Amino acid sequence: MELLAAQPAPHIDYAALSPMIVVFAAAVVGVLVEAFAPRRGRFTAQVALSGAGLIGAFAAVIVLALRGTGRTVMAGSVTVDGAALFLQGTILVVAFLSLMLFVDRRLTLRRPARETAAAGAGAPFFAPQASAVPGGAAEAVARRAGIVQTEIFPLAMFSVGGMMLFPASADLITMFIALEVLSLPLYLLCGLARHRRLLSQEAALKYFLLGAYSSAFFIFGAALLYGYAGTVSLDGIAEATRASVEADGPGGATLLALVGAGLLGMGLLFKVGAVPFHSWIPDVYQGAPTPVTAFMASATKIAAFGALLRVFLVALPALHDQWRPVLWAVAIATMVFGSVVALTQTDIKRMLAYSSVSHIGFMLTAVVPASDDGLSAVLFYLAAYGVSAVGAFALAGLVRSAAADVSGDGLAPEAPDTAQWVGLGRRHPVFGAALALLLLAFAGIPLTSGFVAKFVVFSAALGGGETALVIVGVVCSAIAAFFYIRVIVLMFFAEPGGGTPVVAAPGALTAVAVVVSVVVTVVLGVAPQPLLDLADTAAPFLH
């Protein structure tokens, strides 16, 4: 005991951890607000607290970037390098845009003159009382009272904190903790949809069960790698595998290391949604509240892909010859499956879900060569896709059924069936133009961010000699363009019918989020060089 007391306490660089500290502090204070603040003032307090936390964390990221990067903190468990700060900044931006969708409490339906315009009370996307039985008397009373779920804000902030830690983790234990911190709040948020409650709860249960399996694979892989290398540090695992390969040649890595790397990769590929670990994505995206879907499609993808990059490029570069064929096959399967299955979807959220699967495949093409060029290309792709995804899901959530509202809260449910969107763009040209632009960006049409993103990842893959992957990617991009353009044709080139849904007038914050998404999509398509330069500067991981 005297020996332990004589040892100096480890130094903690709080400044390097300040972005995550700000976010987690806002989340903890949000929990206290839920416990002690009067119900009438909770919503305003939570919105202000969450917004201030995200802005403060983004400012801290900028300060750290200006001060210089390239160090590990917290006894070597957290890395502060350019790639980590780039990913954290991107997560905070898309999280702030998603928060705007969380905040809006009222959507006004533009109905024909013979009908009365209806306004939704409370929160248009979230259930007023999560514990109420769907369709029961308690739920109806809560809807009429206009009760708003305010615990969604601290839950989202905890998830953001985990997302920021996930790609910055320098050892597998910290990475696993970050994985659980980002995932557990999402399991709850997915079950809080205002309409189609049973579908939402089913989505949450599926996400939880499959997420638990993926976490088990991850921690089992981490245990095997620890048994092989004697450390959970990513640098330590890299050194152990490199020593084995140098001593015994390319086949020198033991079965223990290969199995551990495979199980670890399975857990990470589940979080990014790559085939064959994608099955949760369409169901969860469809059932979750639309703001939560936007949040997962953008921020979760960025965090998970950042962690995957760090594991494969920092911990396992010596095993590149072993994991390259696996990722090669996964990339092709992901691109082909996501693009082809999306052709059959008529639900806009499921279509965008399978679209996100195909985009993961496109990004994996740049990971296979294991180069800094590929890393910078993926960083740019994640930023461009994340912002566009928030805008696309925000617009999808504005389309509401033209039928009479039967929920008793004055707001018709969403109408995601694109087969009914005939003439919707002609009735609502601003909505149609914004959604069409974002869909064209997903398709990779020139002068949009999607075109530049695909160009840089395919260029990186070509530079690494992965010509076959690029050919498959170009073909799948052409297939994907069909189902995006099909929605545009339905909206603008067909006569609207009597059952065509209506577009709700968004609140101010939703409108701002959509405008920012559209503007960023255009700017990154016309003048992408500043962000490309920033990604190039941030690209090398700290080894």
Side-chain angles (χ1 to χ4, degrees):
M1 293 296 294
E2 293 179 359
L3 180 61
L4 292 176
Q7 293 179 349
H11 173 69
I12 300 177
D13 188 351
Y14 292 105
L17 300 171
S18 56
M20 289 176 283
I21 291 175
V22 170
V23 170
F24 280 123
V28 171
V29 175
V31 173
L32 297 178
V33 169
E34 282 298 305
F36 299 108
R39 180 178 292 275
R40 184 179 298 273
R42 286 181 196 169
F43 184 85
T44 302
Q46 294 285 20
V47 171
L49 185 62
S50 300
L54 294 177
I55 293 173
F58 186 75
V61 168
I62 294 176
V63 171
L64 286 176
L66 294 176
R67 288 176 52 186
T69 59
R71 59 191 182 279
T72 58
V73 295
M74 289 292 292
S77 62
V78 178
T79 302
V80 182
D81 57 12
L85 293 180
F86 185 97
L87 292 165
Q88 288 179 346
T90 307
I91 289 168
L92 290 168
V93 169
V94 297
F96 190 82
L97 293 177
S98 301
L99 180 69
M100 293 182 179
L101 310 184
F102 280 61
V103 169
D104 264 348
R105 299 180 60 180
R106 186 170 295 273
L107 296 178
T108 303
L109 295 182
R110 300 188 184 99
R111 294 188 179 277
R114 67 179 182 274
E115 299 184 33
T116 303
F125 296 105
F126 293 95
Q129 190 172 359
S131 60
V133 177
E139 183 181 59
V141 171
R143 280 178 169 171
R144 286 194 296 269
I147 297 174
V148 180
Q149 292 274 12
T150 51
E151 56 263 47
I152 59 177
F153 296 104
L155 286 173
M157 293 300 287
F158 275 118
S159 186
V160 171
M163 292 174 189
M164 294 175 67
L165 180 59
F166 200 31
S169 301
D171 66 59
L172 296 179
I173 298 301
T174 304
M175 191 172 287
F176 177 74
I177 293 172
L179 172 64
E180 295 305 298
V181 171
L182 78 88
S183 298
L184 292 175
L186 290 176
Y187 301 151
L188 298 174
L189 290 171
C190 286
L192 298 179
R194 189 176 190 87
H195 300 103
R196 298 198 293 180
R197 291 287 311 284
L198 291 177
L199 182 65
S200 176
Q201 293 175 356
E202 178 187 349
L205 184 60
K206 287 180 178 178
Y207 192 19
F208 168 69
L209 292 177
L210 293 177
Y213 279 116
S214 73
S215 296
F217 284 124
F218 183 97
I219 199 65
F220 193 14
L224 293 180
L225 285 175
Y226 173 73
Y228 167 75
T231 178
V232 292
S233 167
L234 299 185
D235 285 336
I237 294 170
E239 184 177 349
T241 55
R242 188 179 302 111
S244 296
V245 171
E246 290 176 354
D248 303 319
T254 67
L255 181 63
L256 191 64
L258 296 177
V259 174
L263 292 174
L264 196 66
M266 289 173 62
L268 293 170
L269 289 171
F270 171 88
K271 292 307 296 183
V272 301
V275 174
F277 313 105
H278 67 287
S279 58
W280 63 276
I281 286 186
D283 292 336
V284 173
Y285 280 25
Q286 181 185 25
T290 300
V292 176
T293 304
F295 181 52
M296 289 193 297
S298 54
T300 305
K301 282 281 189 296
I302 296 168
F305 218 98
L308 182 145
L309 288 168
R310 191 172 291 279
V311 166
F312 281 102
L313 301 185
V314 175
L316 304 173
L319 302 183
H320 179 249
D321 291 339
Q322 282 74 29
W323 58 254
R324 175 189 169 275
V326 177
L327 276 193
W328 192 89
V330 168
I332 289 180
T334 303
M335 288 187 288
V336 173
F337 187 87
S339 300
V340 172
V341 177
L343 290 171
T344 66
Q345 305 302 313
T346 57
D347 186 291
I348 186 65
K349 291 172 75 174
R350 290 186 72 88
M351 188 198 80
L352 292 176
Y354 282 109
S355 165
S356 75
V357 172
S358 67
H359 284 286
I360 291 300
F362 298 143
M363 284 185 274
L364 285 174
T365 62
V367 180
V368 172
S371 64
D372 286 342
D373 288 341
L375 174 56
S376 64
V378 172
L379 292 179
F380 179 89
Y381 202 123
L382 288 170
Y385 174 78
V387 174
S388 298
V390 173
F393 281 105
L395 290 169
L398 298 179
V399 183
R400 299 281 164 164
S401 173
D405 172 44
V406 295
S407 64
D409 62 1
L411 183 64
E414 296 175 46
D417 187 358
T418 56
Q420 300 176 357
W421 288 21
V422 180
L424 190 63
R426 297 170 67 174
R427 284 185 173 178
H428 309 279
V430 175
F431 163 86
L435 183 58
L437 177 66
L438 295 173
L439 292 178
L440 291 175
F442 292 148
I445 301 302
L447 300 182
T448 65
S449 60
F451 172 78
V452 179
K454 288 184 179 179
F455 179 81
V456 294
V457 295
F458 290 160
S459 297
L462 279 175
E466 304 297 341
T467 306
L469 280 181
V470 175
I471 293 173
V472 174
V474 171
V475 172
C476 290
S477 295
I479 296 173
F482 177 80
F483 56 79
Y484 295 128
I485 294 175
R486 181 180 61 188
V487 176
I488 298 172
V489 170
L490 278 174
M491 290 194 300
F492 287 101
F493 299 100
E495 289 293 334
T500 302
V502 294
V503 176
L509 293 177
T510 298
V512 170
V514 171
V515 169
V516 170
S517 298
V518 170
V519 170
V520 170
T521 298
V522 173
V523 170
L524 291 183
V526 176
Q529 199 58 49
L531 187 60
L532 287 172
D533 292 339
L534 184 60
D536 285 336
T537 303
F541 276 127
L542 177 66
H543 291 270

